[in-house]
Amino acid sequence: MTDHQATPAAAAVPAARGAAAGGAAPAAPMVVVDGVHRTFGSGERAVHALRGASFEVARGSLTALKGRSGSGKTTLLNLVGGLDAPSGGTVTVDGTDLAGLDEAGLLALRRDRIGFVFQSFGLIPVLTAAENVGVPMRMRGVPAKEREERARTLLALVGLAEHAEQRPGELSGGQQQRVAVARALANEPALIIADEPTGQLDSETGRSIMQLLRAVARSEGVTVLVATHDPVLLELADEVVELRDGRIAGPHPDGDRAARGVRPPDA
Ligand SMILES: Nc1ncnc2c1ncn2[C@@H]1O[C@H](COP(=O)(O)OP(=O)(O)OP(=O)(O)O)[C@@H](O)[C@H]1O
Ligand SMILES: [Mg+2]
């Protein structure tokens, strides 16, 4: 069901890099996943969720991760988000090798440089939309007034200026996910990670959320990495990478490194 042949929009990637680099040398990728393995359990019961996945996410791009259920998308996003550690290989985010961070370092990375958007929205039911957007800023110690102002600016950005005082239960699914996108932007992250953010929405609403992610990638200069099954949404991505059997599927017989423009092992 995920055999949609999405070709990477190759032209968009150099453009994004060029813009980020100000026209000089190409900017380093926002995310580099290099030879990553993740094995759950051990012995006969071991599950090899990732078996040497390698790919890059260009700065400023909206990159979609596709692959059938169980192919390792969530596992990979968790590694990039510093929520889990690989069994082998390296994950670099915004120039930082995550293996070099301790728990406090990972916490700071997740709080200050990454915004998360989940399929189930993950809003706090008793808080208003504006308060939900303010939560990451609270964790960072931003003063109340500044928090409120930024929450309102972000809610306006996602088209919810009129809904700031409503609680999640008083909002539609699409509106709740817009609040979640605003919340993900709260601390001006370098990277937004979204795991099937449209999975609980009808196709039209899902498309509008994907368009919103694309718009914020442009307007806020944030890089977006999104896992999705939906072929329509894949068309909105600058680049599509596909997970198959725990590796990145590529059109080249010599594997995903060459296909993704990652340096060859011997170079
Ligand atoms: N904590 C865990 N313990 C054991 N196995 C796990 C764990 N997390 C994931 N797995 C296994 O790793 C494989 C990849 O799972 P993952 O959730 O990454 O897939 P996915 O591509 O996100 O699937 P879906 O599209 O259904 O969300 C699966 O076989 C899954 O059962
Ligand atoms: Mg998943």
Side-chain angles (χ1 to χ4, degrees), residues 161 175 231:
Q175 289 171 335

Side-chain angles (χ1 to χ4, degrees), residues 6-220:
T7 313
V13 176
R17 286 180 177 181
M30 178 60 67
V31 176
V32 181
V33 170
D34 192 7
V36 161
H37 291 252
R38 180 64 171 103
T39 303
F40 295 104
S42 59
E44 285 185 9
R45 296 213 173 160
V47 177
H48 301 284
L50 297 173
R51 304 164 178 260
S54 300
F55 72 105
E56 296 179 352
V57 179
R59 237 164 243 275
S61 72
L62 170 59
T63 295
L65 184 60
K66 74 167 186 172
R68 50 168 222 254
S69 183
S71 61
K73 301 183 295 298
T74 297
T75 301
L76 188 48
L77 293 185
N78 287 344
L79 296 175
V80 174
L83 297 162
D84 185 23
S87 313
T90 58
V91 178
T92 307
V93 176
D94 202 8
T96 303
D97 179 350
L98 302 195
L101 298 178
D102 59 9
E103 266 310 311
L106 287 169
L107 194 74
L109 175 94
R110 295 194 295 264
R111 186 191 58 205
D112 302 336
R113 287 153 84 190
I114 303 178
F116 293 91
V117 177
F118 303 101
Q119 182 173 350
S120 55
F121 320 138
L123 301 175
I124 300 173
V126 297
L127 301 182
T128 65
E131 288 165 346
N132 267 288
V133 176
V135 167
M137 293 184 268
R138 274 171 97 139
M139 297 198 296
R140 221 180 169 186
V142 175
K145 185 144 190 331
E146 199 182 320
R147 241 167 34 216
E148 280 158 32
E149 278 171 16
R150 178 148 175 83
R152 272 164 210 284
T153 303
L154 289 170
L155 285 172
L157 181 76
V158 301
L160 290 179
E162 310 300 313
H163 301 270
E165 299 310 321
Q166 286 170 244
R167 293 191 165 76
E170 300 159 352
L171 296 168
S172 71
Q175 289 171 335
Q176 289 182 59
Q177 197 60 304
R178 283 173 184 274
V179 174
V181 171
R183 180 185 55 186
L185 288 166
N187 288 338
E188 299 180 70
L191 173 68
I192 287 185
I193 293 176
D195 194 357
E196 303 202 37
T198 66
Q200 285 190 14
L201 304 172
D202 64 75
S203 56
E204 195 52 40
T205 310
R207 193 179 168 84
S208 82
I209 291 294
M210 195 71 168
Q211 281 166 335
L212 173 65
L213 287 171
R214 199 189 153 112
V216 302
R218 302 274 185 279
S219 72
E220 309 301 294

Side-chain angles (χ1 to χ4, degrees), residues 236-261:
L236 291 169
D238 297 316
E239 181 153 9
V240 177
V241 293
E242 179 177 6
L243 263 175
R244 206 184 290 157
D245 301 325
R247 295 188 185 90
I248 304 298
H252 297 281
D254 53 344
D256 58 282
R257 285 167 178 272
R260 293 289 140 218

